[in-house]
Amino acid sequence: MKVLCLSTIALLAVIFQQQTVHADKEASRKEKRIVKPGIEVLLEEHLNWLAGKRVGLITNPTGVDRNLKSSIDLLYEHPDVNLTALFGPEHGIRGNREAGEYVESYVDEKTGLPVYSLYGPTWKPTEEMLEDIDVLLFDIQDIGSNVYTYIYTLGFAMEAAAEQGKEIIVLDRPNPIGGERVEGPLRSADTVSFMGRFLLPVRHGLTVGELATMWNHEYSLGVSLKVAKMKGWKRFMHFEDTQLPWIQPSPNIPAQETAYLYAGTELLDDTTLTTGLGTTKPFELVGAPWINGNQLAEEMNDRNIDGVRFRSAYFTPMFGKYEGERIGGVQVHIIDRQKIDLVNLGLQLLDAMRDQDPDQFMMTDKYANLIGDPEVPAMIRNNESIEKIIDSWQRKLMKWKLEVRNHYLLYGPYPKGAKPYKGKTVLGILPLDLSAAIGQSIPLSLQGFDKNGEKLEINSDDINWKVTDGLGYVEDSQFHALKDGVGKIIAIYQKQKSERSIDISAILVQNIRFGVHDSYTRVVFDLNKTVSNYAVEEEDHRLLFSIPYGEIAGELEKGGGSILIGNSPVIERIDYQIEGENFSAELHVKQTAVNVETPTYASRIVLDLQHDGEN
């Protein structure tokens, strides 16, 4: 009995030892999978990047370390960091604003720092906002879709940095839907709204650090850019693999499942279908008032879409589209994240629900902007197969993936034929938007940084300028427009090349619109192309607006005219005319001083007159 007890004890000891070894191996395996976000890497390894510099931080509630401490606090409390300003994207730095809501600038109660809005009156940091900034940090969790606004907040910040000589440091974070799959059409320039020059497919498969690296080179921004790379992240990882805490990036993305499905089921927006906003399962619950949920679930499951299953669901949105109405539809259940083609999922849902009642299904004019391809809406209306629709963009998508995207990957495993990005010289031509009329001259400059991030001292005499298609010529760093057309200006410096697209054509003001909102009155000048060389000056209860070489077109009075504005506390009318070679407009304001913001849009100039001036 005594021997048996000793044997039992020995056996138990062996079992315990084996379990301990197994537990240690499992702990080791998990430890290797823990991802360290860029904010932690910056503070542990790259504090020298911030030495002696005034720091601005673009962030929101997702900017936290692994212990849920905010990047704001980590930087503000660090003795070696001089944090001087905060910048908030859509939903604000605290995440307490609704989608599309103007976020006003204010003072942060906790730190006393100024907080500037980058989603409201302006999306690009202004010269005044960056006056006390040397370097801008970006620390926001993206969700991998090309219509999620935070990545364009980064893009506009990079533009401002290029124009104002500031540095950008991206504190990288995971792409929560993985970094391997790339899906959807590469956005056409004809379907641009707020995202400006930054054209991406629906599912881009990049981190924000990789996006910034790609944009800096591909759009010749010439920005001083650094990326605080994550530790431990692999391209095959989805968010649940990282062991990072999940913070909802915006009010309507409450869970990891929502973030994962967004790039797919968002493609039901801008139609008479609902994506489930106003429910507890947005982008998981989808449907419409006329949909038979049981029939839809059966149809979708019969389509055998990889990685998902569908359950019949009926729900009543508490706000938004179909508020208070009973909706029939399905809930999308994720079975295997690695297998899901999200764009195919979204289009298959749209196709099946359209087929239940084609007369009830409609798309708005904005659907092309949503999916990024102007040909897709017509294909959907013509009841083309989803396979044919997807095939229509595959060649261009693959070309972009192989020839552009795969050159800027910072994390492995790398696709076949791709190598990790290594720092290289970047050049940028200013201005970023080049547009001119025949006879017009535009001053040019070239800036850049070498592979180590050191600023290049560029002598203008050493730049070899070229202009394609005989559109004009460059002399003494001035471009002179000779004939209409679209082409490129090329700068070659020490065997490095930078390109900037240029549009030579008359600048046509096609319409003048206005809208009176709670806190501002918006005046919109619709143009035939994107221009940035306009002027706004304040003088004697007037705002004087002018566009060089601008012409009157569209339904506007060709000889000039007036537009009366009712119900606005700041402006009563707009007089427009041609003065010499310029289009000019006088905005007659009711206040002795008015604050004007100019958010960036393609092919239009927007003036937002704030309702907070002195009466």
Side-chain angles (χ1 to χ4, degrees):
M1 191 68 160
K2 193 172 184 179
V3 173
L4 179 62
C5 290
L6 290 172
S7 300
T8 302
I9 292 171
L11 178 62
L12 290 173
V14 170
I15 294 173
F16 178 76
Q17 184 179 20
Q18 289 176 340
Q19 289 177 336
T20 301
V21 170
H22 176 76
D24 289 343
K25 287 182 177 179
E26 180 68 13
S28 176
R29 184 181 68 83
K30 288 184 177 181
E31 182 66 27
K32 291 179 181 178
R33 288 175 51 198
I34 291 178
V35 171
K36 185 181 293 186
I39 178 62
E40 295 184 37
V41 177
L42 174 80
L43 295 178
E44 292 175 7
E45 301 182 16
H46 303 303
L47 270 176
N48 59 306
W49 292 356
L50 307 180
K53 297 174 182 177
R54 299 166 299 173
V55 177
L57 174 64
I58 304 171
T59 194
N60 70 357
T62 65
V64 296
D65 68 4
R66 286 174 293 166
N67 296 316
L68 294 173
K69 187 162 185 177
S70 119
S71 297
I72 299 173
D73 296 337
L74 289 168
L75 293 165
Y76 183 72
E77 295 170 4
H78 200 288
D80 298 323
V81 178
N82 181 20
L83 186 63
T84 58
L86 304 172
F87 298 81
E90 185 179 11
H91 308 294
I93 63 169
R94 305 299 181 188
N96 57 351
R97 303 299 180 98
E98 280 300 318
E101 181 183 352
Y102 259 29
V103 182
E104 297 180 5
S105 300
Y106 57 96
V107 174
D108 181 55
E109 292 182 1
K110 186 173 182 180
T111 63
L113 295 173
V115 182
Y116 297 108
S117 165
L118 297 182
Y119 195 89
T122 183
W123 295 339
K124 182 189 292 188
T126 64
E127 188 173 351
E128 292 76 18
M129 291 178 183
L130 298 182
E131 186 176 9
D132 296 322
I133 298 294
D134 299 309
V135 56
L136 267 175
L137 308 187
F138 182 91
D139 189 19
I140 295 178
Q141 177 64 60
D142 180 40
I143 63 171
S145 162
N146 74 340
V147 294
Y148 207 59
T149 63
Y150 296 153
I151 56 175
Y152 303 111
T153 298
L154 169 61
F156 288 130
M158 293 179 68
E159 289 185 354
E163 294 165 341
Q164 300 178 45
K166 308 297 181 179
E167 299 177 50
I168 290 277
I169 298 175
V170 176
L171 310 182
D172 217 1
R173 290 188 176 273
N175 184 324
I177 62 176
E180 294 183 315
R181 300 188 72 113
V182 180
E183 301 163 7
L186 180 63
R187 182 172 294 282
S188 162
D190 297 329
T191 62
V192 166
S193 54
F194 63 88
M195 67 282 297
R197 72 189 84 248
F198 305 106
L199 308 180
L200 294 169
V202 174
R203 184 179 184 180
H204 51 73
L206 295 165
T207 69
V208 287
E210 292 171 331
L211 283 170
T213 303
M214 178 177 70
W215 288 341
N216 200 21
H217 288 282
E218 292 298 313
Y219 297 114
S220 297
L221 297 179
V223 174
S224 175
L225 171 70
K226 294 182 176 68
V227 178
K229 292 171 56 178
M230 296 173 281
K231 298 286 188 181
W233 190 75
K234 304 295 182 183
R235 305 209 75 78
F236 54 78
M237 285 183 172
H238 295 111
F239 197 86
E240 65 272 18
D241 300 319
T242 68
Q243 298 194 42
L244 289 172
W246 171 257
I247 309 293
Q248 66 181 70
S250 56
N252 292 317
I253 308 291
Q256 294 181 42
E257 289 78 7
T258 324
Y260 195 88
L261 291 173
Y262 177 89
T265 54
E266 169 69 4
L267 297 179
L268 304 180
D269 208 358
D270 292 318
T271 73
T272 46
L273 307 173
T274 176
T275 58
L277 292 183
T279 73
T280 57
K281 295 287 185 181
F283 304 103
E284 294 180 61
L285 292 170
V286 298
W290 68 86
I291 292 295
N292 181 312
N294 294 323
Q295 181 181 330
L296 179 63
E298 183 177 351
E299 166 68 20
M300 292 304 300
N301 286 322
D302 285 346
R303 294 193 179 203
N304 294 318
I305 299 172
D306 289 342
V308 291
R309 296 290 291 171
F310 303 89
R311 177 186 68 83
S312 173
Y314 291 86
F315 53 93
T316 303
M318 294 178 286
F319 60 83
K321 187 187 293 184
Y322 302 127
E323 177 181 351
E325 293 188 48
R326 184 172 181 268
I327 304 299
V330 294
Q331 181 177 356
V332 184
H333 290 266
I334 298 172
I335 305 301
D336 187 341
R337 287 168 170 78
Q338 297 285 357
K339 294 182 178 180
I340 307 174
D341 183 323
L342 290 168
V343 172
N344 176 62
L345 167 64
L347 292 177
Q348 293 284 358
L349 281 164
L350 183 148
D351 184 66
M353 286 190 273
R354 185 267 318 276
D355 287 350
Q356 274 205 20
D357 193 338
D359 292 336
Q360 297 266 24
F361 175 82
M362 289 180 287
M363 291 182 292
T364 72
D365 294 338
K366 296 180 179 179
Y367 195 81
N369 289 349
L370 174 66
I371 197 164
D373 188 329
E375 297 179 3
V376 168
M379 297 180 77
I380 292 173
R381 292 188 183 98
N382 293 336
N383 202 21
E384 301 281 5
S385 71
I386 301 305
E387 291 75 15
K388 184 175 180 179
I389 293 174
I390 291 176
D391 285 345
S392 71
W393 63 62
Q394 285 299 95
R395 180 173 296 182
K396 183 182 290 187
L397 177 66
M398 184 58 66
K399 179 180 174 66
W400 176 81
K401 182 178 177 181
L402 294 177
E403 298 182 4
V404 179
R405 172 192 180 270
N406 287 0
H407 291 282
Y408 302 103
L409 303 181
L410 303 176
Y411 308 91
Y414 298 94
K416 184 177 180 180
K419 297 179 180 179
Y421 170 82
K422 293 184 178 180
K424 55 184 178 179
T425 296
V426 58
L427 296 176
I429 298 173
L430 293 176
L432 296 176
D433 292 301
L434 275 173
S435 176
I438 294 176
Q440 187 175 0
S441 298
I442 299 175
L444 301 175
S445 63
L446 185 70
Q447 62 186 22
F449 297 84
D450 66 19
K451 63 181 182 180
N452 299 316
E454 297 297 324
K455 185 175 178 60
L456 298 174
E457 298 300 329
I458 299 175
N459 186 329
S460 60
D461 294 335
D462 296 332
I463 305 170
N464 181 16
W465 294 100
K466 296 182 179 181
V467 182
T468 65
D469 305 304
L471 298 178
Y473 64 95
V474 178
E475 185 176 66
D476 296 331
S477 298
Q478 291 270 338
F479 168 76
H480 303 274
L482 294 179
K483 71 174 188 178
D484 286 344
V486 176
K488 292 182 178 179
I489 290 181
I490 301 169
I492 300 174
Y493 175 77
Q494 295 182 348
K495 298 182 180 181
Q496 300 292 326
K497 184 171 72 171
S498 180
E499 297 181 354
R500 177 77 66 232
S501 296
I502 186 163
D503 182 348
I504 310 300
S505 61
I507 301 171
L508 305 180
V509 182
Q510 299 173 318
N511 194 17
I512 302 174
R513 300 178 285 121
F514 69 89
V516 180
H517 303 271
D518 290 341
S519 59
Y520 65 99
T521 297
R522 169 164 288 184
V523 177
V524 179
F525 297 88
D526 289 314
L527 311 179
N528 62 321
K529 58 182 179 178
T530 300
V531 299
S532 58
N533 58 329
Y534 61 90
V536 182
E537 299 178 358
E538 190 170 354
E539 179 182 298
D540 297 331
H541 283 268
R542 295 179 301 164
L543 289 176
L544 305 180
F545 171 80
S546 63
I547 304 174
Y549 291 81
E551 300 178 11
I552 297 174
E555 298 182 1
L556 297 174
E557 297 291 335
K558 300 303 182 286
S562 294
I563 298 173
L564 297 177
I565 298 180
N567 302 322
S568 171
V570 293
I571 181 172
E572 57 186 24
R573 78 174 191 274
I574 302 170
D575 297 332
Y576 62 93
Q577 59 191 337
I578 297 294
E579 290 186 342
E581 295 179 324
N582 298 339
F583 170 89
S584 68
E586 296 182 5
L587 286 68
H588 295 264
V589 297
K590 301 176 182 180
Q591 302 176 171
T592 56
V594 62
N595 180 31
V596 182
E597 303 287 354
T598 55
T600 303
Y601 287 88
S603 299
R604 71 192 75 162
I605 297 172
V606 176
L607 307 180
D608 285 342
L609 284 65
Q610 306 301 303
H611 295 174
D612 56 0
E614 178 186 348
N615 291 315

